[in-house]
Amino acid sequence: SGGWVPPAQAPDANSFVARTNTCGELRAAHVGQEVTLCGWIQYQRQGLFLVLRDFQGLTQLVIPQDEWSQVQTDRSAVRHVASEFLRYIGIPLQAHSHVRKLLSNAPVESVVRVTGIVSSRPPGQENAKMPTGDIEVKVETAEVLNFCKKLPFEIKDFIKKSEALRMQYRYLDLRSSQLQHNLRLRSHVVMRMREYLCNHHGFVDVETPTLFKRTPGGAKEFLVPSREVGKFYSLPQSPQQFKQLLMIGGLDRYFQVARCYRDEGSRPDRQPEFTQIDIEMSFVDQAGIQRLIEGLLQYSWPEERGPITTPFPSMTYEEALAAYGTDKPDTRFGMKIVDISDALRRWDVRFVQNVLSYPHGTAKAICIPQGVRYLKNKDVESLKEAAKSQFNQEIVDVICRPDGSLKSLLTKFLGEEQQSELKQVLNMQVDDVVLLAAGDHKRVCSALGSLRLESADLLEAAGVVLRDPTALHFLWVVDFPLFLPKEENPTELESAHHPFTAPHPLDTDLLYSDPAKVRSQHYDLVLNGNEIGGGSIRIHDAEQQRFVLEKVLKEDSEVLSHLLEALEFGAPPHGGIALGLDRLISLIVGSPSIRDVIAFPKSFKGRDLMGNAPEYVTPEELEPYHIHVSWPVAETEAKKN
Amino acid sequence: SGGWVPPAQAPDANSFVARTNTCGELRAAHVGQEVTLCGWIQYQRQGLFLVLRDFQGLTQLVIPQDEWSQVQTDRSAVRHVASEFLRYIGIPLQAHSHVRKLLSNAPVESVVRVTGIVSSRPPGQENAKMPTGDIEVKVETAEVLNFCKKLPFEIKDFIKKSEALRMQYRYLDLRSSQLQHNLRLRSHVVMRMREYLCNHHGFVDVETPTLFKRTPGGAKEFLVPSREVGKFYSLPQSPQQFKQLLMIGGLDRYFQVARCYRDEGSRPDRQPEFTQIDIEMSFVDQAGIQRLIEGLLQYSWPEERGPITTPFPSMTYEEALAAYGTDKPDTRFGMKIVDISDALRRWDVRFVQNVLSYPHGTAKAICIPQGVRYLKNKDVESLKEAAKSQFNQEIVDVICRPDGSLKSLLTKFLGEEQQSELKQVLNMQVDDVVLLAAGDHKRVCSALGSLRLESADLLEAAGVVLRDPTALHFLWVVDFPLFLPKEENPTELESAHHPFTAPHPLDTDLLYSDPAKVRSQHYDLVLNGNEIGGGSIRIHDAEQQRFVLEKVLKEDSEVLSHLLEALEFGAPPHGGIALGLDRLISLIVGSPSIRDVIAFPKSFKGRDLMGNAPEYVTPEELEPYHIHVSWPVAETEAKKN
C-alpha cells in the first residue's frame, strides 16, 4: 500500500479490507480461485442458493449440501494453514452442515462474509443479464456478521415505496442500485471537475467561512446565535463576498465545492442546504468564464451521458423572453412564441388595437402542432385558465379545421386574406391549435412561455415524442437587465441578481442617467430548460460599487463597508460563476428530484425524517446564547398583560 | 480549451484570461517575445523601473523613457492590427510618455496590465535571487486597472503587523507570499488526498448535512433556529452519525472533506468552524485503517517536506502515559519519564512509602540533561510551581554536582549507594537536573509529561538543539480506555471518545462485568506531539450499542433511536478516522497557528474582524424563528416585576 499508483489504474476497492473481491467483479477467468466476499443477502432459495449483494453487484453463492468440504484432499496443506488463521481471527473451520444452517436461516439483508471457490455455473444455468452470471461461488466457510430484523420495506428497485418511508429509513434506501449509482456518479463528476480546475488550470481550492454575518437583503439566511448577547452569525447563501475578497487578495483563481444555505420555508424540490461549484477568476471577461465552464463540463461529463459539444449557443435575455417567455428556455423543441403585433396592427382589430397602443403592448402566439388530435377540449380550457390565474392574461385559442378554415372568437374580426396571413405567420397546419395573447410584452411572453411548456407536457402525456430524453441543450443566456423594478414598489429598483454585478461595458454611461435600461455582465447557463448556473463579471471599482449601492439601490452600504474598502486597495477586474451541483447531477442521472442525488436530503418542509431534525432543546441549552423561544401561548399571555 | 489534458502537464495558469504569462515564469528563453502581464505594483524606482507581482512571483518592468516605441519600424504591420484591436477593446495605442506618466504615478499595490517585450537584463544587472532575474520586460503599453489608496500596512513579508490588523485587512494579508504559499499547498495536499482515496482506492465523496439535530452530550454544538416554533437544528461537531449510516447504507468506502462546528467560546488556536478529512470503511479492522492513512499521507505529502516512512510506530495509551505523561507524545526527543517506584520502595524513604502504598501510587522522574547549565534557578522554581498549580503535584528537584554528588531535599533520606543507584536508574550525568514526583500514577505522569515539554522549550530557548524542526515523528496511539470516570462524579463513566467506539475484542466480556477496565478500538494519530487524527472501529451490534448507551453511560437512547434501529437492519462491521486538516497543514508549513492556513479565520473570541461578524439583527429578523434576545437589562426588568 502507499506509494504512487498510476492514475490510469482502476480504483482498488479491496485494499485494506478482509474481502478478496467485490460481489460485482468475479468472471469466468476467476474460476478455481478461493475468494472471500462480504455483503448483504439479497435472497436465498430453499437452502441451496444465495445471492450476495454489495455496492458493485450480485454474486450467486452455492450453499454446501454435504457434511464436509470435498476439496480437502488436494488442498489439505493450504486448508490447515487457513484453518489455523481462521481460528486465530475467531472463525473456526466449519462443518458444511453448520454453514448450510447459518446461511439458510439468515434473513435477507443480513450481512455475511463467505469464503469459497469460484466455479463455472453448470451449462445452461448461466445468466447473461448478470455480469457475474457465468460463475458461482461454492461456499466453504461463512460467518453472519449481523442479522437483519424484519424490514419496513423490501430493498428491491421494483418495489415502490412512499418517499416519506424512504426518507425515514434512508440508510435502507441508500442500498438501492439507483441511489448507489447516483452518489457514486456525483462523487466521480466532482472529482473530474477538481482535476480540471486544480490540475489543468491552476485553480486553488479555498474553503470560506459559513459562519458570517447577514448580507443586505439576505432575508433567506439562517441565523446562528452567538455567545455575545444579541449578536448572530448568518449562514451565507453563497461565498460571494469571500470569493471577491480572495481575488482582491491576489488568489487569482479560486474554486470551492461550497455548501450554501437558504431558508425559504417550505418549497418543493429545494433544500435548506445545497452545494454549488463556486468559481472566481481575476483578469477574466465573460467569454473567458464561458469557455472555462464549457471545458469543465466537457471534461467532467460522464461517458454514459456524453459527449457534449462546445461552445454552447448563446441568447440574450430579451431574445429568450421574446421567443420562449422565460430566461431559461427549453430549446429541445420548437413551438416558439411568434410576434403577430404587426399583422394585427395592420388589420385594425379594435380590441387588440387598444392593447397595442400601450408602451409595451404586444400580441403574440404559440402554435401547438396537431393540438386538435392530442389535446382534449378541457386541456385547452385549463391552459387558458392557468394563464388567467397565474399571469392575469386572457388567451384566445384558434383551431385550424380539416378544410383549412380557422375556428376562433377572433375570426369574426378577420377577413379570409387575414386568416390566411395569420396561418402563414404562425405556420399553422390542419389540426394545429394556436394560443394567442395580447397585452404587456413581459406578461404576454411569460404566460405563453408557461403555456408552451404545459402544452409540451400534455402532448408528451398523449404519446407525442417532443423532447429527446437523451438530448443535451446547453444555452448561455446573457445581457440580463442589471436592475429590475421592485415588485412591491415599481418606481424603485433592485438588483436583478446581486449588487456586485458589473454593468455591460456599452451601458456604463446609462448607469448614471437611466439605470433601469442598463444591461449587466451577468450570464446564466441553462440545460434543457433548467438553470444550472449563473455568474457575472463583478464591479471592481469602489466608486461604481458605492454608486450602485447608495444611489441606485438606496441600501445602507455600511454593512458592506469592508468590501467597499477592499475595492479601494487594488482590486483586480474579476468575475465568476456558480453551478448548482445538486440540479446538475439530477439532470445527468435523469432524476426528477434533487433529493435523489443527495445522501441525506431534507423533506420539502426542511425536516430530516430519519433523525427527526429540527428538534426541541431545553431552555438551559439556549441560555449561553441569550435567547428564548416566543411560544404562541406566552405571546397570548403577554398581550393580555 | 476543453477536452482531455494529460494530468502530467503542469497547470495552465494563463488559460481563459488576458495575460500571456504570470509574473513568475519568464526566463531567458522568453527573450524577444511580446508578453502581457497583469499584477500589482510591488515597487517603482524613479520612473525607470517597476516590479510587478502576482501569485507566482515578481517581474521587473522597464518604463519606457523615449517618446514613441522604437520597435515600430520592423513591427509596424503587427502594431497596426494590434492598435485596432486595442482601440476596439478600449485601450488606445499609447505614446510612451503617457505610459511613463501612468506607471510612474500609480501608487504601490495598484493593479496594472502591461504589454511589452521580454529582454535580457544588461550584463551585471541579473538578479540570481529572483527566478525571473535574468530578464526584464520593456513596457510598450500599460493600463492601470485599479488605483490603490494608502495602505494600512505594507505588503512586505519582513514588515511585522499585529494579528488584529492583519485579520481586519485579511485580503491584504492574503497577498503575502506566506499565505499564498499556505493556501496553495493546502489545496494541493487535499487534491492529492482525493486522488488517493477516490482514484486509487474507490472511496466515494459523499456530502452529509450540517443542519441536523443535537447529539447526546453535544453541549458544544451551535444551534440554528428553525421556522418551527421551539425547534432548532444543530451544527454537528463531525459527520459521525452520517458516516456510520452510510456504511449501513452499503456505501462501503466514504470520505468527505467535512466542515465541522464547535462552539467552545474563547479558546486560543481553535476555530468555531474547522475542517476534517473524514473517512469510514466497511469490513475493515484497526490495522486496515492505519495502513490506509499511512498510504494517504505518504501519497499526499508535499515534496518540500517529504518523504515520510511507513508504517508508523505504535504505542499503547498506557505506554504513552507512562513514558511521556500524555496521549500525544512528542517522540522527537528523549527525557522520558522513568519509574523509580521499585527503588524508592526498597530504600524505605518514609514519605514516599506512604504514597506508594495507595492503589495507583507511584514515583517517577524526568532527567533534564545539562539542566544546571541551561536552566536558571527561577526556571526550575517555575516548573515546580506549574506542576503544583496545574496538577496539584509536588516536585522534588535533584541536581548532579560537578563532583558527581547529588543536591536535593531528598538526599538526606538516601545513602551513598542509593544515590548512586538513583543516578544509574535515571542515567544522570554531571549538571543534569532531575524532577521527581510521587503520587497517583496518572497525576504524576501528566505533571512530569507537562514539565518534560516545558523543560524542552526552556532548553531550546537557551540554544540547545533538541528537536529537529524538519523531523516528522508520526505515532499511532492505541488501546485507549473505552470509558473514563466523569470528572464531576468519578463513580459514573463517560465515553473516552464517543459512545459508538467498539470495545477491544479481547475485552468484550469485561464490558458487562467491569466496564471501567475495557480498552477500546480507538486510535489516535500523533505527529511531533500534536494529535492530527483519531478514529475507531465502531460498534455494529444494536444490542451492544444499546447496552453501552443505557447501562454504562446511562444516557437517554431515544435521541439516537434512528441509529440504534439502523444497526438492527444489517449493519456491516465498520470503522473510520478523521484527520484535522487545519492542524495537519499548519504542521506541514511549520506555522504555529492554524489561522495561518485558513483563508478567513475567526479571532480567538470567534469574531470575524474583517466583516465584523457576529452582528446584531433586528427583532423583525428574529420573528420567523420565534425567538427573542434576553437582554441583560430586560432580564433585570423582568426580575423587578
Side-chain angles (χ1 to χ4, degrees):
Chain A
S1 76
W4 189 82
V5 184
Q9 201 173 303
D12 179 3
N14 302 311
S15 48
F16 311 112
V17 288
R19 66 175 172 249
T20 59
N21 295 84
T22 67
C23 294
E25 60 179 317
L26 295 176
R27 299 288 184 275
H30 296 89
V31 167
Q33 288 185 16
E34 183 172 89
V35 296
T36 299
L37 305 180
C38 297
W40 285 259
I41 299 179
Q42 177 88 351
Y43 59 84
Q44 189 260 105
R45 208 167 66 222
Q46 298 166 325
L48 298 171
F49 294 100
L50 186 150
V51 172
L52 199 64
R53 187 199 68 235
D54 68 9
F55 65 94
Q56 212 170 51
L58 302 167
T59 298
Q60 179 163 293
L61 309 180
V62 183
I63 301 172
Q65 302 300 312
D66 54 334
E67 190 58 20
W68 286 96
S69 166
Q70 292 175 324
V71 290
Q72 264 173 327
T73 45
D74 53 331
R75 297 172 54 89
S76 55
V78 177
R79 289 195 69 80
H80 176 69
V81 177
S83 74
E84 287 302 302
F85 175 72
L86 288 170
R87 236 173 244 122
Y88 173 73
I89 64 168
I91 309 171
L93 185 60
Q94 298 157 316
H96 276 180
S97 60
H98 175 70
V99 172
R100 184 169 68 242
K101 204 169 150 195
L102 212 56
L103 294 182
S104 304
N105 293 339
V108 290
E109 294 302 317
S110 294
V111 184
V112 299
R113 174 168 54 197
V114 297
T115 296
I117 309 294
V118 183
S119 314
S120 293
R121 291 201 191 180
Q125 293 189 24
E126 299 91 348
N127 184 346
K129 287 184 194 155
M130 213 171 158
T132 64
D134 285 338
I135 59 93
E136 56 194 10
V137 172
K138 292 200 193 300
V139 177
E140 287 294 315
T141 62
E143 185 188 8
V144 178
L145 299 167
N146 220 341
F147 287 89
C148 181
K149 72 171 188 184
K150 186 162 165 33
L151 293 167
F153 55 82
E154 281 192 77
I155 323 275
K156 296 219 174 86
D157 294 340
F158 56 85
I159 307 268
K160 291 265 171 259
K161 312 110 200 170
S162 80
E163 192 174 14
L165 193 66
R166 285 174 53 196
M167 284 178 66
Q168 188 188 341
Y169 297 98
R170 186 65 171 180
Y171 46 88
L172 295 180
D173 205 29
L174 285 173
R175 294 183 192 163
S176 69
S177 61
Q178 188 58 54
L179 282 184
Q180 288 277 332
H181 174 260
N182 291 357
L183 293 182
R184 281 161 199 280
L185 179 132
R186 178 181 177 130
S187 170
H188 179 74
V189 168
V190 171
M191 187 65 200
R192 292 283 287 175
M193 286 181 169
R194 292 177 178 281
E195 287 171 7
Y196 178 85
L197 293 168
C198 270
N199 296 352
H200 300 321
H201 294 289
F203 279 77
V204 187
D205 179 5
V206 181
E207 298 180 67
T208 58
T210 55
L211 292 173
F212 197 49
K213 71 168 185 183
R214 215 132 170 105
T215 43
K220 291 170 179 171
E221 289 175 356
F222 285 102
L223 291 172
V224 181
S226 82
R227 285 170 190 255
E228 291 187 67
V229 55
K231 291 192 173 181
F232 293 76
Y233 297 104
S234 177
L235 299 175
Q237 289 187 58
S238 92
Q240 184 62 36
Q241 290 186 47
F242 292 110
K243 66 203 271 195
Q244 293 195 238
L245 288 162
L246 284 172
M247 294 306 103
I248 298 169
L251 252 288
D252 200 63
R253 296 176 168 217
Y254 144 91
F255 91 102
Q256 184 181 196
V257 181
R259 188 70 59 87
C260 304
Y261 299 86
R262 191 165 40 201
D263 180 18
E264 300 184 300
S266 300
R267 284 279 295 270
D269 217 31
R270 288 284 186 107
Q271 290 283 313
E273 48 187 319
F274 57 99
T275 304
Q276 63 188 36
I277 308 292
D278 199 48
I279 288 172
E280 196 81 7
M281 292 175 86
S282 294
F283 308 111
V284 74
D285 61 10
Q286 185 160 325
I289 296 285
Q290 291 177 347
R291 296 302 87 76
L292 169 81
I293 294 302
E294 288 159 358
L296 173 75
L297 289 171
Q298 199 165 49
Y299 184 84
S300 60
W301 206 252
E303 258 180 60
E304 64 183 74
R305 287 288 269 141
I308 60 182
T309 312
T310 59
F312 302 149
S314 188
M315 192 183 283
T316 67
Y317 168 79
E318 279 304 335
E319 289 166 350
L321 185 65
Y324 298 95
T326 174
D327 57 2
K328 41 178 196 251
D330 186 345
T331 53
R332 286 175 298 175
F333 67 104
M335 289 171 57
K336 287 202 252 183
I337 301 169
V338 178
D339 192 311
I340 51 172
S341 309
D342 281 356
L344 288 181
R345 202 173 271 123
R346 269 191 283 107
W347 301 338
D348 197 22
V349 182
R350 211 169 333 126
F351 74 93
V352 181
Q353 232 32 269
N354 192 19
V355 166
L356 290 175
S357 66
Y358 291 130
H360 298 285
T362 190
K364 291 175 188 286
I366 58 169
C367 175
I368 307 170
Q370 300 300 292
V372 174
R373 285 173 59 195
Y374 296 110
L375 304 189
K376 302 192 185 82
N377 274 344
K378 73 171 174 58
D379 291 336
V380 176
E381 284 314 307
S382 81
L383 288 172
K384 288 163 70 177
E385 275 160 30
K388 182 69 190 165
S389 65
Q390 290 166 40
F391 299 92
N392 194 27
Q393 177 63 53
E394 296 288 348
I395 300 289
V396 176
D397 60 300
V398 186
I399 283 169
C400 186
R401 295 200 190 90
D403 64 359
S405 67
L406 298 185
K407 179 189 159 196
S408 172
L409 278 177
L410 199 70
T411 47
K412 63 181 169 196
F413 301 101
L414 303 177
E416 199 165 311
E417 205 173 310
Q418 291 168 332
Q419 291 193 20
S420 164
E421 190 181 340
L422 188 66
K423 280 166 63 182
Q424 203 190 333
V425 169
L426 292 167
N427 191 23
M428 225 179 155
Q429 311 292 326
V430 167
D431 283 349
D432 286 359
V433 173
V434 156
L435 301 178
L436 193 149
D440 171 74
H441 175 74
K442 191 164 182 190
R443 196 180 65 197
V444 164
C445 290
S446 302
L448 289 178
S450 172
L451 295 185
R452 173 179 174 267
L453 292 175
E454 286 174 54
S455 316
D457 288 343
L458 289 168
L459 289 179
E460 288 185 331
V464 180
V465 178
L466 203 62
R467 290 172 285 204
D468 174 1
T470 67
L472 297 166
H473 280 244
F474 288 97
L475 176 72
W476 290 109
V477 179
V478 299
D479 292 356
F480 280 82
L482 185 54
F483 306 108
L484 292 174
K486 279 189 189 169
E487 242 174 69
E488 64 277 19
N489 180 1
T491 62
E492 292 179 10
L493 293 177
E494 62 186 3
S495 293
H497 294 93
H498 59 59
F500 314 113
T501 312
H504 196 290
L506 299 177
D507 294 357
T508 312
D509 290 344
L510 272 178
L511 183 62
Y512 304 91
S513 57
D514 192 353
K517 290 221 173 99
V518 175
R519 289 166 302 166
S520 73
Q521 293 194 63
H522 179 94
Y523 29 85
D524 268 353
L525 180 58
V526 174
L527 170 57
N528 295 350
N530 299 277
E531 184 198 321
I532 58 167
S536 58
I537 302 303
R538 328 294 184 186
I539 296 174
H540 71 280
D541 178 86
E543 279 318 300
Q544 194 178 65
Q545 184 67 75
R546 203 180 294 277
F547 180 84
V548 165
L549 283 170
E550 294 174 0
K551 304 299 177 199
V552 182
L553 300 174
K554 318 249 191 281
E555 295 231 25
D556 175 12
S557 67
E558 181 52 32
V559 71
L560 285 171
S561 58
H562 57 287
L563 189 67
L564 283 165
E565 193 172 18
L567 290 175
E568 292 178 323
F569 288 122
H574 60 287
I577 194 167
L579 302 180
L581 183 64
D582 305 304
R583 172 60 58 209
L584 178 63
I585 301 292
S586 79
L587 288 171
I588 292 177
V589 301
S591 185
S593 165
I594 59 170
R595 288 188 296 278
D596 289 335
V597 298
I598 296 172
F600 299 101
K602 302 261 187 318
S603 75
F604 77 98
K605 283 190 173 163
R607 298 194 60 82
D608 180 305
L609 299 181
M610 179 187 64
N612 199 27
E615 192 46 290
Y616 296 113
V617 301
T618 64
E620 290 71 40
E621 292 177 294
L622 296 179
E623 217 166 279
Y625 302 111
H626 317 282
I627 55 169
H628 54 272
V629 174
S630 322
W631 293 99
V633 176
E635 277 178 10
T636 316
E637 290 285 312
K639 274 174 202 154
K640 270 186 207 157
N641 299 344
Chain B
S1 77
W4 188 82
V5 183
Q9 201 172 301
D12 179 3
N14 302 311
S15 47
F16 310 114
V17 288
R19 65 173 172 250
T20 59
N21 296 84
T22 67
C23 295
E25 62 178 318
L26 295 176
R27 299 287 183 276
H30 295 90
V31 167
Q33 287 185 15
E34 184 173 88
V35 297
T36 300
L37 305 179
C38 297
W40 284 259
I41 299 179
Q42 177 86 349
Y43 61 83
Q44 190 261 106
R45 209 167 66 223
Q46 297 167 323
L48 298 170
F49 293 100
L50 185 150
V51 172
L52 198 64
R53 187 197 70 235
D54 67 10
F55 65 95
Q56 214 169 50
L58 302 167
T59 298
Q60 178 163 296
L61 308 181
V62 183
I63 301 173
Q65 302 300 314
D66 54 333
E67 191 58 20
W68 287 96
S69 167
Q70 292 175 324
V71 291
Q72 264 176 326
T73 43
D74 54 331
R75 298 172 52 90
S76 58
V78 176
R79 291 194 67 81
H80 176 70
V81 176
S83 75
E84 285 303 302
F85 174 72
L86 288 171
R87 236 173 242 123
Y88 173 72
I89 64 167
I91 309 171
L93 184 61
Q94 299 158 314
H96 276 178
S97 60
H98 174 70
V99 172
R100 185 168 68 243
K101 204 167 150 195
L102 213 54
L103 293 183
S104 307
N105 293 339
V108 288
E109 294 304 315
S110 293
V111 183
V112 300
R113 174 167 54 197
V114 297
T115 295
I117 309 295
V118 183
S119 315
S120 294
R121 291 203 191 179
Q125 294 191 21
E126 298 91 348
N127 183 346
K129 287 188 194 151
M130 213 173 158
T132 62
D134 284 339
I135 59 95
E136 56 193 11
V137 173
K138 293 199 191 300
V139 176
E140 287 294 314
T141 62
E143 185 187 9
V144 177
L145 299 167
N146 219 341
F147 287 90
C148 181
K149 73 170 186 185
K150 187 165 166 30
L151 293 168
F153 54 82
E154 279 193 79
I155 323 275
K156 297 222 171 83
D157 294 339
F158 55 87
I159 307 269
K160 291 266 171 259
K161 314 111 199 169
S162 82
E163 192 173 16
L165 194 66
R166 285 174 52 198
M167 284 178 68
Q168 187 188 342
Y169 295 99
R170 186 67 171 178
Y171 45 89
L172 294 181
D173 205 29
L174 285 173
R175 293 182 194 165
S176 70
S177 62
Q178 189 57 54
L179 282 183
Q180 289 278 331
H181 173 261
N182 292 357
L183 294 182
R184 281 162 200 278
L185 179 132
R186 178 181 178 132
S187 170
H188 179 73
V189 168
V190 171
M191 187 64 198
R192 293 283 287 175
M193 287 182 169
R194 292 176 179 282
E195 287 171 8
Y196 177 84
L197 293 168
C198 271
N199 295 352
H200 300 321
H201 293 289
F203 280 76
V204 187
D205 179 6
V206 181
E207 298 179 67
T208 58
T210 54
L211 292 173
F212 196 48
K213 71 167 183 183
R214 214 134 170 103
T215 43
K220 290 170 180 170
E221 288 175 359
F222 284 103
L223 291 172
V224 181
S226 82
R227 286 171 189 255
E228 291 187 66
V229 56
K231 292 192 174 181
F232 294 76
Y233 298 105
S234 177
L235 299 176
Q237 290 188 56
S238 92
Q240 184 61 35
Q241 289 186 47
F242 291 110
K243 69 203 269 194
Q244 294 195 238
L245 289 162
L246 285 172
M247 293 305 102
I248 298 169
L251 253 287
D252 200 64
R253 297 175 168 219
Y254 144 91
F255 90 102
Q256 184 181 198
V257 181
R259 188 70 59 89
C260 303
Y261 300 86
R262 191 164 43 201
D263 180 19
E264 300 184 300
S266 299
R267 284 280 296 271
D269 217 31
R270 289 285 187 105
Q271 289 284 314
E273 48 186 318
F274 57 98
T275 304
Q276 65 188 34
I277 308 292
D278 200 49
I279 288 173
E280 196 80 6
M281 291 176 87
S282 294
F283 309 111
V284 75
D285 60 10
Q286 187 160 323
I289 295 286
Q290 290 177 347
R291 297 301 89 74
L292 170 81
I293 294 303
E294 288 159 359
L296 174 74
L297 289 172
Q298 200 164 50
Y299 184 85
S300 60
W301 206 252
E303 256 179 63
E304 64 183 73
R305 286 288 270 140
I308 60 182
T309 312
T310 60
F312 302 150
S314 188
M315 192 182 283
T316 68
Y317 168 78
E318 280 304 334
E319 289 167 351
L321 186 64
Y324 298 94
T326 173
D327 57 2
K328 40 177 197 249
D330 187 346
T331 54
R332 285 175 300 175
F333 67 104
M335 289 170 56
K336 285 201 253 183
I337 300 169
V338 177
D339 193 311
I340 52 172
S341 309
D342 281 356
L344 288 182
R345 203 173 271 124
R346 270 191 283 110
W347 301 338
D348 196 22
V349 182
R350 209 171 331 126
F351 74 92
V352 181
Q353 232 32 269
N354 192 21
V355 165
L356 290 174
S357 67
Y358 291 130
H360 298 285
T362 192
K364 292 176 187 285
I366 58 169
C367 175
I368 307 170
Q370 300 300 291
V372 174
R373 287 175 58 197
Y374 296 112
L375 303 190
K376 302 192 186 81
N377 275 342
K378 74 169 174 56
D379 291 336
V380 176
E381 285 312 308
S382 83
L383 288 171
K384 288 162 73 177
E385 275 161 30
K388 181 72 189 160
S389 65
Q390 289 166 40
F391 299 93
N392 194 27
Q393 176 64 53
E394 295 289 349
I395 300 288
V396 176
D397 60 302
V398 186
I399 285 171
C400 186
R401 294 201 190 88
D403 63 1
S405 66
L406 298 185
K407 180 187 160 197
S408 172
L409 277 178
L410 200 68
T411 46
K412 61 181 169 197
F413 303 100
L414 302 177
E416 200 165 312
E417 206 173 310
Q418 291 168 332
Q419 293 193 18
S420 167
E421 190 181 341
L422 187 67
K423 279 166 63 182
Q424 205 191 332
V425 169
L426 292 166
N427 191 23
M428 225 179 156
Q429 311 291 328
V430 168
D431 283 351
D432 286 0
V433 173
V434 156
L435 302 178
L436 192 149
D440 171 73
H441 176 74
K442 192 165 181 189
R443 195 180 66 198
V444 164
C445 292
S446 301
L448 289 177
S450 172
L451 295 185
R452 174 177 174 268
L453 293 175
E454 285 174 55
S455 316
D457 288 344
L458 289 168
L459 290 178
E460 288 185 334
V464 180
V465 178
L466 204 63
R467 290 172 283 203
D468 174 0
T470 67
L472 296 167
H473 280 244
F474 287 98
L475 176 74
W476 290 110
V477 179
V478 300
D479 292 357
F480 280 83
L482 185 54
F483 306 108
L484 291 173
K486 278 189 188 168
E487 242 175 70
E488 63 277 20
N489 180 2
T491 62
E492 292 179 11
L493 294 176
E494 62 186 4
S495 294
H497 294 93
H498 59 59
F500 315 113
T501 312
H504 196 290
L506 298 177
D507 294 358
T508 313
D509 291 344
L510 274 179
L511 183 63
Y512 303 93
S513 56
D514 192 354
K517 291 220 174 99
V518 176
R519 289 167 301 168
S520 73
Q521 294 194 65
H522 179 93
Y523 29 85
D524 267 354
L525 181 57
V526 173
L527 170 57
N528 294 350
N530 299 278
E531 185 199 318
I532 58 166
S536 59
I537 302 303
R538 327 295 184 186
I539 296 173
H540 71 280
D541 178 86
E543 280 318 301
Q544 195 177 65
Q545 184 68 74
R546 203 180 294 276
F547 181 83
V548 165
L549 284 170
E550 294 174 1
K551 303 298 177 197
V552 183
L553 300 174
K554 317 251 190 278
E555 294 232 25
D556 176 13
S557 67
E558 181 52 33
V559 71
L560 285 171
S561 59
H562 58 287
L563 189 65
L564 283 165
E565 193 173 17
L567 291 175
E568 293 177 322
F569 287 122
H574 60 288
I577 195 167
L579 303 180
L581 183 64
D582 305 303
R583 173 59 59 209
L584 178 63
I585 301 293
S586 78
L587 289 171
I588 291 178
V589 301
S591 185
S593 166
I594 60 170
R595 290 189 294 278
D596 289 336
V597 298
I598 295 172
F600 299 100
K602 303 263 189 314
S603 76
F604 77 99
K605 284 193 174 161
R607 298 193 59 83
D608 181 304
L609 300 181
M610 178 188 64
N612 199 27
E615 193 44 291
Y616 295 114
V617 301
T618 64
E620 292 71 41
E621 291 177 293
L622 296 179
E623 216 167 280
Y625 302 112
H626 316 283
I627 55 170
H628 53 272
V629 175
S630 323
W631 293 99
V633 177
E635 278 177 9
T636 316
E637 290 285 313
K639 274 172 202 156
K640 272 186 210 162
N641 299 343

